[in-house]
Amino acid sequence: MADSENTIPSLVASAWRTAPPVLRRFAYWVWSIGFVAVTLSVIADARNWWNGLQFTTNIIAELVCGMVALPVALVIIARLAEYQVKELEQARLKTRYAAALQQMTGSAQITNDYLQELVQEVASSTNTFVAAAWVVDGSLTDPEGALESAHLLQAQMESQQWLFYERVMIPLRIEGNQLRVLLSERVNNGEQTSERLRFERLWHNLESALRHQKVTMAAGYQEFARGVPTAHRAVRLRDAALNHLRSVDQLQRYCAELAAFATPALEG
C-alpha cells in the first residue's frame, strides 16, 4: 500500500500549501485572466466573431492554455520533480550506507579478532602472575615465575604496545566516522531511524574504552617498572594486572558489539 503522504493528490496538495504566497497570488491572477479570456472566447465563438480570424483564435487558445499551465508548472510540477530528485538521493544514500556498513563491519571484525587473541595472551600472563604473586607466610609463592610474568605484563603495557592499539583502530575509525556521516545524512533527509542513536552509543563506548585502556596501561606500566615483585607490592601489582585484563576485555566486547551492529541494520 502506498504511503498516504507520497500519493499524487497529497503531493499536489502539499505543493500548493507550501508554495510561496507570492506564487499563489500570481497563480490566482493568471487563472483569473485565463477564466475571463475563456469566457470572452466562448461568447465570441457563439456570436461568430472569429470568421476569418483562424490565426488569432489559435494564438488566443495557446495563451489561455499557457495561463492555465504556467502556474501548474511552477507550483505542482516543480514540486513533483523535487520529490523525484529526493527519492533518487535517498536511494543513493541507502546504497552508500549499506556499502559503508559492510566496510565498517569488516574492519570491526578484523579488529575484534585481533583483540580476542590479545585478551587470551593478557589473560594467560595475568593468571600466571596472580598465581605466582600470591603471598603465603609473608613471601611470594613463586618469585621467579612472578618476575618472569611481570616482565611479560610490563611489555604488554608499554607505550609501543599502545601505538599498536592505535594502528589497529585506524581502519575502524575511518569506516566508523564515514558511517556516522551517512547516518546523519539519513536523519537530515527525514528518515525516522534509531540506528544513529544506537551506533553513537556503541561508538562512544568504544572510544571511552580505548581512552581508559591507555590510562590503565600507563598506570600498570609504571607500577611494574618500580622493581622486582615483592610481597609488599603484590596486591598493587595484582590489581594493576587485573585492571589491564579487564580493560582489554572491555575493549574487545565493545568492538564485538560494533561488529554485530550490521546484522539488524542490514536486515532493516
Side-chain angles (χ1 to χ4, degrees):
M1 182 179 295
D3 190 345
S4 60
E5 295 183 355
N6 294 335
T7 60
I8 297 298
S10 65
L11 288 174
V12 171
S14 175
W16 182 254
R17 287 195 307 269
T18 58
V22 64
L23 189 57
R24 282 184 289 179
R25 287 195 297 269
F26 173 75
Y28 287 135
W29 181 72
V30 172
W31 284 337
S32 299
I33 295 176
F35 177 76
V36 172
V38 169
T39 303
L40 293 177
S41 297
V42 171
I43 294 174
D45 193 45
R47 297 185 179 183
N48 295 321
W49 290 353
W50 303 117
N51 291 333
L53 300 175
Q54 290 84 359
F55 181 73
T56 303
T57 56
N58 289 336
I59 292 178
I60 293 176
E62 291 178 2
L63 288 175
V64 171
C65 291
M67 289 179 180
V68 175
L70 181 60
V72 174
L74 291 176
V75 178
I76 298 175
I77 296 180
R79 180 58 182 270
L80 293 176
E82 178 185 349
Y83 172 76
Q84 185 179 16
V85 171
K86 184 178 180 181
E87 287 292 305
L88 291 175
E89 289 179 351
Q90 288 182 346
R92 294 192 188 101
L93 180 59
K94 288 181 179 180
T95 301
R96 291 167 54 204
Y97 174 72
L101 191 62
Q102 291 180 348
Q103 292 174 357
M104 189 277 298
T105 304
S107 297
Q109 189 59 55
I110 293 174
T111 306
N112 180 59
D113 292 342
Y114 164 75
L115 291 176
Q116 281 183 331
E117 296 178 1
L118 188 60
V119 167
Q120 294 176 359
E121 294 177 4
V122 174
S124 177
S125 56
T126 300
N127 292 335
T128 301
F129 176 78
V130 170
W134 199 259
V135 179
V136 178
D137 296 331
S139 60
L140 301 180
T141 56
D142 185 2
E144 293 183 0
L147 180 60
E148 182 180 354
S149 56
H151 287 161
L152 181 57
L153 283 171
Q154 186 178 358
Q156 291 173 344
M157 299 179 191
E158 66 177 351
S159 58
Q160 292 299 322
Q161 182 68 17
W162 169 250
L163 293 177
F164 194 49
Y165 277 93
E166 286 286 348
R167 287 196 296 270
V168 169
M169 293 295 293
I170 285 176
L172 183 59
R173 276 178 167 160
I174 293 174
E175 303 297 346
N177 287 327
Q178 181 181 1
L179 190 64
R180 294 174 74 187
V181 171
L182 293 175
L183 281 169
S184 297
E185 289 185 20
R186 291 182 64 185
V187 173
N188 293 336
N189 285 343
E191 291 190 47
Q192 300 296 327
T193 175
S194 61
E195 294 175 10
R196 181 185 182 186
L197 294 177
R198 180 167 169 253
F199 182 78
E200 287 293 340
R201 185 180 67 254
L202 291 174
W203 193 256
H204 174 74
N205 290 340
L206 183 64
E207 289 287 358
S208 298
L210 192 61
R211 290 192 296 268
H212 181 261
Q213 173 72 9
K214 183 177 182 179
V215 174
T216 302
M217 289 176 65
Y221 181 84
Q222 292 178 359
E223 187 64 41
F224 278 95
R226 290 179 179 177
V228 178
T230 62
H232 178 69
R233 299 176 54 238
V235 175
R236 292 200 304 271
L237 291 174
R238 285 201 304 268
D239 289 343
L242 291 173
N243 288 336
H244 177 230
L245 175 59
R246 293 190 192 101
S247 64
V248 177
D249 182 66
Q250 184 182 49
L251 185 62
Q252 185 271 323
R253 284 189 290 106
Y254 285 142
C255 190
E257 290 181 12
L258 195 62
F261 173 79
T263 302
L266 287 173
E267 291 177 353

